[in-house]
C-alpha cells in the first residue's frame, strides 16, 4: 500500500508540474502582455519606449527561458510573486478568493449529491416506469444543457419577475450575511449542481439496477427485511462504491463550471481570478491560480484513488 | 436610435463663429475669449444679465427661498443667471440665422434643466479593472481619467467638450495679451484635499493652498520630461504639447506662459482631460512607485476625495468639503466604482436590479435589448470612441510610395461596409479630421460624394481598380495586411483580418491580399521607425476638439506623427498658418482645403476610416448633461460629469434602488 501511495504521489507531482509549465507558456503565447493590456484601446498612443520600459519593470523583457527558471525556482519555494494588477501578493489574492470558491463549490456539491442520489435511486426502483423516464429525461437535459445556459435562463426568470436580489456587488460571505449570500449563490449552486448531477445519477441508477439483481439482495428480501432497509442498507451502500471513483472527475467538472458561474454572477473566487488574470495578462496570478486548481484536482483524485485502493484490494495489488 | 435624425444632426454640427462668441461670453472668459475670436464685447451682456437677474429675484417669494436648501438656492440663482444670460444674448443677436436661434433654444433648455438639478446621493458605476498608474501625466491610458478627473483639477476645463467651449478651473480667467503669451489668473481660495488617504500620506501637504509654484512645477515637469530625482522619463504623454512653452513667469497669483511660437490651439490644451494638476510633494515623493495604484498616492483640488482605490476590487470617492465650486457644484455626495464585470450576465443583473446606475457593453444588441425591456425606466445615449480607425499604407517606401497605389487603397476601403460588419452600423465615416472633432471635420453630407467615401461605392471601386492596374498593383504578389492582435482578440472583431483582405481582393478583382495579425508590440515600434507593413488599426486617441494640432502632427514636414514622411510645402504653409489663425472661419477653411488636398492623394497612406459609437444606458433618475436625448459627448467629459452629474431620487425609476455603501472619509 505504501508503494502504491508513493507511486501515486510522484505521479501527482508530475501532473502539477506539467500543468504549471503549460500555464506558464500558455499565457505568454497569447497576444499582448500586461504592458499593453493595461493600456487597453489606448495602446496605439503609447510610445514603444514607454511600453518597453513597462515590460522591463515587470520582468517581461527577459528571455523566456530565464523567466521560466525564475518562476520554477520561486514556485518551489512557494513564492508566487505579486499581482501585476493589484500589486498584492498572489497568496493574498488567493486567500481572498478561495473562501468564495469553497462556499460555492460546497453548495454545488450539496445540491449535486442531494439531487443525484435520490433521483438515481428512484429511477432504479421505478425502472421503466413513468417516474424513471421522467427522471432520466431530466438527467439527459441536465447533461445536454450547458451550465451557462441554465444559469442565464434562471437569471432572466429572476429578473423578469424580480424574485430576489442577486447581490453581485455586495458579494457577502455566508457567515457575514447568510440571507443575501444564499440568494446570490442560489442560481449558480443549482445550475452547477444539476450539471454535476446527471453523471452521478445515471451511474448510480445503473449500479443500483445491477446490485438489486444480486443474490444477497434477494436473500435480504427473503429474510423479510423491510424494502427501505434492503434498498438503503444493502443495495445503495454497494452501488455507491463506483460513484466514489467518479467523484474526482465530478469535482473537476464542478471546478470547470465554477469558472463560468463565478464570472456570470461576479463571485470573486478562484474561477473569476482565472479569467480576470487571463484578460489582464496578469501572469503571476494566472499561473498560480491554475496551479492551485491543478493541485486541488490532483489531490482530490489522489485521495479517491487511495480510498479506492483501501476499499478494493485488487487496485493496490495491480 | 433614429438614424436619420442622428445623421442629420451630425451634418449641421459644425460650430459657427457666433457659437464660439456666445460660448466665450457664457464662460465669462472676458478678454481672452474675445481675443480668440477676434472681436466682441461682453459688457452689455453683463449689464443685461444683472438687470434681468434683479427682476427675476424680485418675483421670487421669500417664503420659497426660505424653504430651499442653501445649495438649491444657489442653484436657483445660477439658473436665473443662466436664463437671463441666454435671454440677454438673444436680444443682442437679433439678426442671427435660424441655426443660431436653434442653438439659443437649446441653451435655454439647458438652463431649464439646471433648475431641476438636485443635490446628494451616490452614483454606482463599473470601473476599469486595470490602471496603468495614478499619475495622469505619465500615461496615455484613458481609464485612469474616470477616477482622477473627479479628484484632480485642470487649469481650464471644457463646458462643452465637443465644441471646445472653455470655462475656468484652477485658473479663474485667462488672457492672451499677444500671440505668444498666455496669462493664467489663478482662482483664490483653492486648497489641496485636507482629508482622506492621500492627505494622510507622509509625503503629502494636506490642506495647503494652491500656489503658482504648483502650476509651474507641473508644466516644467512635463515639458522637461524630468522626474524629481533628476532622471528623464520617456512616458510623459503630453510633453510635446508642453514643449510649446518657452518660459514661465509668475506674478502675484498669475502665471504667464511664453510660447515658442503663436499657437491658437494652445489654450484648449489646458482642458485636455490628461492635463490634471498633481501636488508636487505627493506625486514627486512617490514617483518611484508610480505604477502602484492606491488611494493614498492621490491628492487633488477637485470636487471629490478618493477614499478607496483598489484595482480589480473597488473605488470610492466622496465630496470634497472644501471644494472651490461649493455650494453650487458638485451635486453628488460621491461615487462608487465596482470592479469590472467579466460577464455581461453579471452586469445585466447589477443594472436591472439597480445595483449600478448605468451600463454599457461591447455588444450593442445587449444594451438595446435591455433598453427595450426597461423602456419606461431607462434612457439610451450613444457615445463616440475617440480612437479613430484607419488603414495605414507605408507610402514612405517602395512600392507604396507610388501615390496611385495609396490612392487606390484609400478609394477601395469600404468604410461604410466595415462599420456595418464590425460595429452593427454604429459609427460614422471620418475624413482626415475625425467627425468627433466636429467643428473641424468635413460634414458627413459632403463626404457622401467625396471619392473614397462615396455612398455610390461602385464609382470608388472603378477608379481604384484603374489606379491599381496602372500602378502595377497586380505585379506586387502576395500582400499581407496586418490587423493588430488587440483588435482581433475581441470576439466581435475576430474576423477582421479576413474581412480586410476580402475587401481589397474584391475591389481589385484579385486574390493577392492576405489578412494576418501581429501584436501591438511589433506594429507600434515598426510604425514609429517608419518601417511598417500595411495595417488596419486604431490611431492614437484624439484628446482635444481642435483638430489643427493633429493635422500638423500627421502631415507637416518632420512632424512627430508624420510616419509617412509627407513633405509638401503647400500643406506645411497652410497648416502652420491655420494654427496661428485666430478667426475660426478662416482657420476652418484652411484645414478643410488641406483635408481635400490630402484626400486627393490617398491621404498619403494615413487613410482615416471611421469612428464607432457605443450605446450607454442609464436609469431616468441618473441625470447627465448631454447634447440631445440620444447623443452623449464625443469626447472624454469626466470633468464635466463630475460637476453636472446628479441624481433625482424622486423619479419613479429610483423606487427600488438601494443606497450604495461607499467608503467614508
Amino acid at each position: 500500500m505504501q508503494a502504491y501511495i508513493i507511486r501515486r504521489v510522484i505521479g501527482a507531482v508530475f501532473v502539477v508540474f506539467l500543468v504549471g509549465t503549460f500555464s506558464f507558456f500558455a499565457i505568454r503565447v497569447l497576444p499582448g502582455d500586461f504592458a499593453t493590456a493595461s493600456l487597453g484601446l489606448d495602446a496605439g498612443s503609447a510610445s514603444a519606449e514607454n511600453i518597453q520600459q513597462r515590460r522591463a519593470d515587470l520582468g517581461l523583457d527577459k528571455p523566456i527561458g530565464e523567466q521560466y527558471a525564475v518562476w520554477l525556482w520561486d514556485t518551489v519555494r512557494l513564492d508566487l510573486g505579486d499581482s501585476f494588477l493589484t500589486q498584492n501578493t498572489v497568496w493574498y489574492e488567493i486567500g481572498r478568493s478561495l473562501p468564495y470558491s469553497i462556499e460555492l463549490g460546497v453548495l454545488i456539491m450539496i445540491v449535486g449529491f442531494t439531487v443525484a442520489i435520490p433521483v438515481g435511486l428512484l429511477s432504479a426502483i421505478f425502472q421503466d416506469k413513468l417516474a424513471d423516464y421522467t427522471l432520466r429525461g431530466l438527467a439527459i437535459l441536465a447533461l445536454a444543457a450547458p451550465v451557462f445556459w441554465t444559469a442565464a435562463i434562471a437569471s432572466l426568470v429572476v429578473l423578469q419577475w424580480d424574485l430576489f436580489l442577486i447581490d453581485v456587488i455586495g458579494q457577502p460571505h455566508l457567515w457575514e450575511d447568510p440571507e443575501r449570500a444564499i440568494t446570490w449563490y442560489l442560481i449558480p449552486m443549482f445550475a452547477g449542481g444539476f450539471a454535476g448531477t446527471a453523471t452521478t445519477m445515471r451511474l448510480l441508477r445503473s449500479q443500483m439496477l445491477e446490485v438489486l439483481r444480486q443474490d444477497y439482495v434477494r436473500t435480504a428480501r427473503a429474510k423479510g427485511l423491510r424494502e427501505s432497509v434492503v434498498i438503503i442498507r444493502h443495495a445503495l451502500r454497494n452501488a455507491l462504491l463506483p460513484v466514489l471513483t467518479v467523484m474526482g472527475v465530478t469535482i473537476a467538472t464542478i471546478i470547470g463550471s465554477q469558472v463560468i458561474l463565478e464570472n456570470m454572477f461576479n463571485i470573486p473566487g478562484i474561477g473569476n481570478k482565472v479569467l480576470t488574470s487571463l484578460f489582464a495578462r496578469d501572469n503571476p496570478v494566472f499561473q498560480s491560480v491554475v496551479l492551485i486548481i491543478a493541485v486541488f484536482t490532483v489531490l482530490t483524485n489522489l485521495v479517491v484513488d487511495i480510498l479506492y485502493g483501501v476499499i478494493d484490494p485488487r487496485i493496490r495489488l495491480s | 436610435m433614429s438614424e436619420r435624425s442622428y445623421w442629420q444632426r451630425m451634418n449641421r454640427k459644425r460650430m459657427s463663429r457666433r457659437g464660439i462668441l456666445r460660448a466665450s461670453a457664457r464662460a465669462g472668459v472676458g478678454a481672452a475669449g474675445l481675443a480668440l475670436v477676434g472681436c466682441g464685447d461682453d459688457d452689455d451682456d453683463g449689464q443685461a444679465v444683472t438687470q434681468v437677474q434683479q427682476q427675476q429675484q424680485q418675483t421670487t417669494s421669500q417664503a420659497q427661498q426660505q424653504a430651499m436648501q442653501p445649495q438649491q438656492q444657489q442653484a436657483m440663482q445660477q439658473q436665473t443667471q443662466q436664463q437671463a444670460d441666454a435671454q440677454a444674448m438673444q436680444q443682442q443677436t437679433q439678426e442671427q440665422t435660424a441655426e443660431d436661434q436653434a442653438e439659443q433654444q437649446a441653451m435655454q433648455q439647458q438652463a431649464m434643466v439646471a433648475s431641476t438639478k438636485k443635490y446628494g446621493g451616490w452614483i454606482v458605476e463599473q470601473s476599469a479593472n486595470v490602471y496603468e498608474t495614478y499619475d495622469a501625466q505619465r500615461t496615455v491610458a484613458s481609464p485612469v481619467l474616470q477616477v482622477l478627473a473627479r479628484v484632480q483639477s485642470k487649469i481650464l476645463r471644457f463646458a462643452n467638450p465637443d465644441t471646445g467651449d472653455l470655462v475656468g478651473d484652477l485658473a479663474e480667467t485667462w488672457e492672451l495679451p499677444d500671440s505668444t503669451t498666455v496669462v493664467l489668473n489663478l482662482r483664490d481660495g483653492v486648497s489641496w484635499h485636507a482629508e482622506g488617504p492621500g492627505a494622510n500620506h507622509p509625503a503629502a501637504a494636506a490642506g495647503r493652498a494652491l500656489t503658482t509654484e504648483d502650476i509651474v512645477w507641473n508644466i516644467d515637469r512635463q515639458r522637461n520630461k524630468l522626474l524629481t530625482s533628476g532622471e528623464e522619463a520617456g512616458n510623459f504623454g503630453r510633453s510635446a504639447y508642453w514643449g510649446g512653452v518657452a518660459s514661465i513667469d509668475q506674478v502675484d497669483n498669475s502665471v504667464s506662459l511664453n510660447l515658442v511660437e503663436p499657437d491658437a490651439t494652445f489654450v484648449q490644451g489646458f482642458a485636455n482631460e490628461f492635463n490634471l494638476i498633481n501636488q508636487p510633494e505627493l506625486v514627486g515623493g512617490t514617483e518611484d512607485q508610480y505604477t502602484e495604484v492606491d488611494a493614498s498616492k492621490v491628492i487633488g483640488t477637485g470636487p471629490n476625495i478618493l477614499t478607496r482605490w483598489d484595482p480589480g476590487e473597488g473605488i470610492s470617492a466622496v465630496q470634497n468639503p472644501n471644494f472651490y465650486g461649493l455650494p453650487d457644484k458638485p451635486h453628488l455626495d460621491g461615487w462608487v466604482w465596482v470592479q469590472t464585470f467579466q460577464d455581461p450576465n453579471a452586469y445585466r443583473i447589477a443594472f436591472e436590479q439597480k445595483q449600478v446606475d448605468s451600463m454599457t457593453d461591447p455588444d450593442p444588441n445587449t444594451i438595446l435589448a435591455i433598453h427595450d425591456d426597461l423602456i419606461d425606466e431607462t434612457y439610451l445615449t450613444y457615445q463616440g470612441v475617440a480612437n479613430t480607425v484607419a488603414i495605414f499604407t507605408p507610402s514612405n517606401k517602395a512600392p507604396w510610395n507610388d501615390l496611385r497605389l495609396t490612392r487606390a487603397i484609400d478609394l477601395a476601403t469600404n468604410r461604410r461596409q466595415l462599420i456595418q460588419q464590425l460595429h452593427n452600423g454604429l459609427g460614422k465615416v471620418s475624413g482626415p479630421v475625425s467627425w468627433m472633432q466636429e467643428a473641424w471635420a468635413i460634414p458627413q453630407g459632403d463626404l457622401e460624394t467625396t471619392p473614397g467615401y462615396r455612398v455610390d461605392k461602385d464609382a470608388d471601386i472603378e477608379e481604384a481598380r484603374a489606379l491599381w492596374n496602372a500602378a502595377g498593383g497586380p505585379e506586387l504578389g502576395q500582400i499581407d495586411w496586418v490587423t493588430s492582435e488587440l483588435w482581433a482578440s475581441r470576439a466581435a472583431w475576430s474576423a477582421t483580418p479576413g474581412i480586410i483582405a476580402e475587401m481589397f481582393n474584391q475591389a481589385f478583382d484579385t486574390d493577392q491580399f492576405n489578412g494576418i495579425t501581429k501584436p501591438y508590440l511589433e506594429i507600434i515600434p515598426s510604425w514609429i521607425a517608419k518601417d511598417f507593413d500595411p495595417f488596419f488599426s486604431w490611431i492614437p486617441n484624439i484628446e482635444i476638439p481642435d483638430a489643427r494640432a493633429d493635422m500638423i502632427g500627421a502631415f507637416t514636414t518632420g512632424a512627430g506623427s508624420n510616419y509617412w514622411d509627407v513633405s509638401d510645402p503647400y500643406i506645411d504653409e497652410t497648416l502652420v498658418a491655420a494654427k496661428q489663425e485666430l478667426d475660426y472661419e478662416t482657420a476652418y477653411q484652411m484645414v478643410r482645403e488641406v483635408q481635400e488636398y490630402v484626400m486627393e492623394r490617398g491621404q498619403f497612406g494615413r487613410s482615416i476610416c471611421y469612428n464607432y459609437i457605443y450605446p450607454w444606458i442609464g436609469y431616468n433618475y441618473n441625470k447627465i448633461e448631454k447634447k440631445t436625448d440620444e447623443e452623449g459627448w464625443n469626447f472624454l467629459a469626466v470633468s464635466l460629469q463630475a460637476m453636472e452629474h446628479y441624481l433625482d431620487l424622486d423619479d419613479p425609476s429610483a423606487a427600488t434602488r438601494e443606497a450604495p455603501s461607499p467608503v467614508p472619509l
Side-chain angles (χ1 to χ4, degrees):
Chain A
M1 185 66 187
Q2 201 175 9
Y4 171 76
I5 292 173
I6 290 169
R7 218 167 45 235
R8 297 293 298 142
V9 168
I10 291 169
V13 169
F14 185 64
V15 168
V16 169
F17 166 75
L18 282 183
V19 171
T21 301
F22 176 77
S23 70
F24 176 90
F25 287 104
I27 196 163
R28 282 164 176 79
V29 164
L30 293 172
D33 57 21
F34 187 75
T36 48
S38 62
L39 293 167
L41 292 188
D42 303 315
S45 305
S47 68
E49 183 191 9
N50 187 359
I51 294 175
Q52 280 306 123
Q53 180 59 49
R54 195 83 175 92
R55 298 187 79 230
D57 292 344
L58 298 165
L60 296 171
D61 60 334
K62 295 188 178 108
I64 195 146
E66 187 182 335
Q67 287 184 50
Y68 178 68
V70 169
W71 168 78
L72 202 58
W73 175 238
D74 287 346
T75 306
V76 168
R77 293 183 298 124
L78 298 180
D79 176 4
L80 301 181
D82 295 340
S83 163
F84 290 166
L85 186 65
T86 64
Q87 278 94 45
N88 295 322
T89 65
V90 174
W91 280 117
Y92 169 84
E93 294 294 332
I94 289 169
R96 205 170 65 88
S97 303
L98 205 56
Y100 286 107
S101 291
I102 291 172
E103 281 173 73
L104 180 61
V106 168
L107 289 170
I108 287 176
M109 278 195 280
I110 289 171
V111 170
F113 289 111
T114 51
V115 171
I117 292 170
V119 166
L121 202 60
L122 288 173
S123 196
I125 292 167
F126 298 105
Q127 187 192 5
D128 296 336
K129 303 264 173 46
L130 181 63
D132 181 30
Y133 288 126
T134 308
L135 293 170
R136 282 164 62 195
L138 285 174
I140 288 167
L141 185 68
L143 261 183
V147 65
F148 64 83
W149 182 83
T150 316
I153 296 292
S155 302
L156 289 178
V157 169
V158 171
L159 292 177
Q160 183 67 36
W161 284 284
D162 201 13
L163 298 178
F164 52 81
L165 180 76
I166 306 168
D167 195 355
V168 293
I169 303 288
Q171 303 174 332
H173 282 291
L174 276 168
W175 61 86
E176 290 170 348
D177 188 342
E179 191 184 332
R180 277 193 169 227
I182 210 73
T183 54
W184 177 37
Y185 284 130
L186 204 59
I187 296 175
M189 78 191 220
F190 275 102
F194 281 128
T197 295
T199 314
T200 312
M201 175 260 162
R202 285 165 65 83
L203 182 65
L204 183 64
R205 177 181 178 274
S206 62
Q207 287 302 312
M208 277 295 290
L209 289 176
E210 195 180 323
V211 169
L212 285 172
R213 291 191 185 94
Q214 297 292 317
D215 288 345
Y216 68 87
V217 172
R218 195 176 304 120
T219 307
R221 281 182 175 139
K223 279 164 60 182
L225 292 176
R226 275 181 295 145
E227 187 63 11
S228 58
V229 175
V230 173
I231 297 289
I232 291 167
R233 190 176 298 170
H234 295 276
L236 182 61
R237 281 180 68 173
N238 287 292
L240 274 175
L241 277 176
V243 173
L244 185 68
T245 61
V246 296
M247 188 99 94
V249 181
T250 307
I251 287 170
T253 310
I254 287 172
I255 291 169
S257 65
Q258 271 189 251
V259 174
I260 297 165
L261 291 167
E262 286 180 8
N263 281 286
M264 287 185 76
F265 294 89
N266 207 31
I267 298 166
I270 293 289
N272 190 297
K273 273 273 174 274
V274 171
L275 275 196
T276 310
S277 57
L278 182 65
F279 290 144
R281 303 290 187 270
D282 190 352
N283 298 3
V285 173
F286 178 78
Q287 291 157 191
S288 305
V289 166
V290 170
L291 205 62
I292 295 285
I293 292 173
V295 167
F296 183 74
T297 309
V298 164
L299 267 182
T300 309
N301 279 280
L302 186 65
V303 169
V304 169
D305 284 353
I306 292 170
L307 276 179
Y308 203 65
V310 170
I311 294 165
D312 189 344
R314 289 173 300 176
I315 300 294
R316 52 174 197 265
L317 286 177
S318 67
Chain B
M1 132 179 153
S2 162
E3 190 181 86
R4 188 165 158 251
S5 61
Y6 189 79
W7 289 83
Q8 282 172 341
R9 277 200 301 276
M10 286 312 300
N11 288 343
R12 63 168 195 82
K13 280 291 178 238
R14 193 164 62 81
M15 187 166 59
S16 69
R17 180 169 168 272
R18 282 203 180 85
I20 296 190
L21 257 177
R22 282 199 304 278
S24 303
R26 198 164 56 230
V29 298
L34 299 171
L36 269 174
V37 292
C39 64
D41 182 354
D42 64 346
D43 291 348
D44 295 343
D45 276 356
Q47 197 179 353
V49 169
T50 311
Q51 285 169 355
V52 179
Q53 194 178 359
Q54 282 169 354
Q55 287 168 1
Q56 294 276 347
Q57 282 172 343
Q58 282 165 6
T59 56
T60 308
S61 77
Q62 203 173 359
Q64 277 178 319
Q65 285 198 2
Q66 282 170 347
M68 287 188 293
Q69 296 297 315
Q71 282 189 324
Q72 287 173 317
Q73 283 181 18
Q74 188 76 18
M76 182 63 86
Q77 282 170 7
Q78 201 216 5
Q79 172 235 333
T80 309
Q81 186 167 348
Q82 281 177 315
Q83 284 174 328
D85 193 6
Q87 285 167 8
M89 280 189 285
Q90 199 170 20
Q91 286 168 7
Q92 195 181 21
T93 55
Q94 284 175 350
E95 76 286 0
Q96 65 195 183
T97 60
E99 186 187 332
D100 291 338
Q101 283 173 347
E103 285 180 25
Q104 285 247 334
Q105 272 183 341
M107 225 173 69
Q108 284 180 321
Q109 281 168 0
Q110 255 188 353
M112 292 303 289
V113 168
S115 70
T116 61
K117 282 186 180 174
K118 296 185 176 177
Y119 289 89
W122 297 77
I123 291 280
V124 188
E125 291 178 340
Q126 179 188 243
S127 67
N129 230 2
V130 185
Y131 295 94
E132 196 199 13
T133 172
Y134 58 86
D135 183 353
Q137 294 172 1
R138 295 178 72 183
T139 185
V140 293
S142 51
V144 71
L145 302 176
Q146 184 187 24
V147 178
L148 292 181
R150 293 181 169 97
V151 176
Q152 298 181 324
S153 308
K154 295 175 297 197
I155 292 171
L156 304 178
R157 63 184 180 85
F158 290 120
N160 180 337
D162 292 347
T163 57
D165 297 3
L166 294 165
V167 289
D169 201 359
L170 292 178
E172 195 162 21
T173 60
W174 66 100
E175 299 158 33
L176 303 175
D178 58 61
S179 62
T180 55
T181 310
V182 183
V183 178
L184 304 165
N185 304 310
L186 298 195
R187 193 182 292 274
D188 288 325
V190 179
S191 58
W192 296 97
H193 295 159
E195 299 172 80
N200 295 334
H201 192 285
R208 175 175 70 71
L210 179 90
T211 63
T212 52
E213 281 82 9
D214 291 334
I215 303 296
V216 173
W217 183 86
N218 276 273
I219 296 173
D220 274 344
R221 177 182 195 235
Q222 294 180 83
R223 73 187 177 118
N224 300 327
K225 296 186 272 185
L226 285 178
L227 302 176
T228 310
S229 61
E231 189 187 343
E232 190 172 320
N235 56 4
F236 283 103
R238 263 60 50 196
S239 59
Y241 166 76
W242 291 111
V245 177
S247 61
I248 310 172
D249 301 315
Q250 300 172 60
V251 182
D252 299 329
N253 205 30
S254 297
V255 176
S256 178
L257 306 180
N258 306 304
L259 306 184
V260 172
E261 60 183 13
D263 184 353
T265 71
F266 193 82
V267 171
Q268 210 176 77
F270 292 131
N272 179 336
E273 290 282 317
F274 282 100
N275 278 334
L276 295 165
I277 298 297
N278 283 323
Q279 188 184 67
E281 292 91 335
L282 182 55
V283 171
T286 57
E287 274 172 341
D288 56 335
Q289 306 151 35
Y290 81 107
T291 58
E292 296 170 17
V293 174
D294 75 82
S296 74
K297 297 196 191 76
V298 179
I299 192 169
T301 50
N304 296 106
I305 295 174
L306 210 52
T307 52
R308 182 189 186 202
W309 194 355
D310 297 325
E313 293 180 34
I315 310 166
S316 183
V318 303
Q319 193 182 90
N320 171 12
N322 301 318
F323 181 57
Y324 48 84
L326 286 171
D328 180 28
K329 291 171 182 176
H331 296 78
L332 293 168
D333 290 332
W335 304 77
V336 174
W337 291 276
V338 296
Q339 63 177 36
T340 308
F341 298 102
Q342 298 289 352
D343 192 284
N345 186 67
Y347 206 171
R348 182 172 190 156
I349 289 169
F351 180 71
E352 292 206 24
Q353 296 199 331
K354 294 174 188 164
Q355 297 175 52
V356 291
D357 300 312
S358 60
M359 181 180 178
T360 186
D361 191 90
D363 178 6
N365 294 316
T366 305
I367 298 300
L368 298 178
I370 294 173
H371 179 55
D372 282 346
D373 283 352
L374 303 169
I375 196 83
D376 296 331
E377 287 191 285
T378 60
Y379 64 95
L380 194 62
T381 294
Y382 289 88
Q383 294 181 322
V385 175
N387 302 83
T388 307
V389 180
I391 292 271
F392 294 95
T393 317
S395 61
N396 59 325
K397 62 178 184 181
W400 301 102
N401 54 0
D402 183 338
L403 281 184
R404 288 174 301 176
L405 291 175
T406 310
R407 170 90 164 139
I409 291 291
D410 188 54
L411 287 165
T413 301
N414 197 335
R415 296 162 168 89
R416 291 186 169 81
Q417 179 191 309
L418 291 175
I419 292 170
Q420 287 299 330
Q421 285 183 296
L422 299 173
H423 309 282
N424 290 30
L426 295 176
K428 282 181 284 212
V429 296
S430 288
V433 170
S434 157
W435 62 260
M436 301 184 73
Q437 293 168 310
E438 56 193 55
W440 299 91
I442 298 174
Q444 293 286 314
D446 294 0
L447 283 176
E448 285 177 8
T449 54
T450 303
Y453 293 82
R454 281 181 282 215
V455 174
D456 174 16
K457 198 62 196 170
D458 290 344
D460 277 347
I461 300 286
E462 192 181 336
E463 206 178 324
R465 198 173 290 179
L467 283 166
W468 182 257
N469 291 331
E475 284 80 55
L476 294 179
Q478 181 173 304
I479 298 165
D480 287 335
W481 209 278
V482 178
T483 300
S484 75
E485 284 178 348
L486 187 64
W487 175 285
S489 65
R490 288 194 167 190
W493 301 342
S494 57
T496 304
I499 288 172
I500 298 291
E502 187 58 23
M503 178 176 74
F504 290 136
N505 281 332
Q506 278 189 8
F508 300 127
D509 191 22
T510 181
D511 57 1
Q512 291 172 271
F513 289 86
N514 179 42
I516 61 169
T517 59
K518 281 187 182 176
Y520 249 120
L521 277 178
E522 213 175 310
I523 295 173
I524 299 298
S526 67
W527 188 42
I528 291 168
K530 301 178 183 178
D531 187 23
F532 58 98
D533 295 324
F535 69 98
F536 170 84
S537 188
W538 297 281
I539 65 167
N541 226 340
I542 305 164
E543 294 183 359
I544 58 169
D546 195 320
R548 285 177 284 184
D550 295 327
M551 286 292 282
I552 287 170
F555 292 115
T556 56
T557 306
S561 306
N562 182 355
Y563 303 120
W564 300 264
D565 287 337
V566 180
S567 181
D568 189 311
Y570 164 73
I571 295 177
D572 291 351
E573 285 167 23
T574 314
L575 286 180
V576 169
K579 187 182 175 188
Q580 297 177 2
E581 178 58 59
L582 292 174
D583 180 72
Y584 165 72
E585 290 292 356
T586 309
Y588 173 79
Q589 204 50 44
M590 289 172 170
V591 173
R592 168 89 189 234
E593 281 167 14
V594 171
Q595 286 190 79
E596 286 165 358
Y597 182 84
V598 160
M599 285 198 288
E600 284 163 13
R601 286 151 185 80
Q603 303 194 40
F604 292 100
R606 178 187 178 266
S607 294
I608 302 295
C609 294
Y610 59 85
N611 288 79
Y612 55 93
I613 54 179
Y614 65 91
W616 179 100
I617 188 174
Y619 280 103
N620 294 338
Y621 62 77
N622 181 5
K623 306 284 191 184
I624 302 174
E625 199 96 19
K626 56 188 190 298
K627 286 190 283 191
T628 72
D629 286 345
E630 290 178 343
E631 280 183 51
W633 302 109
N634 294 344
F635 280 91
L636 292 167
V638 191
S639 302
L640 184 71
Q641 287 179 15
M643 301 290 189
E644 308 294 347
H645 208 133
Y646 71 100
L647 284 173
D648 180 7
L649 296 175
D650 296 328
D651 188 281
S653 62
T656 54
R657 181 180 186 262
E658 202 172 297
S661 310
V663 176
L665 263 178

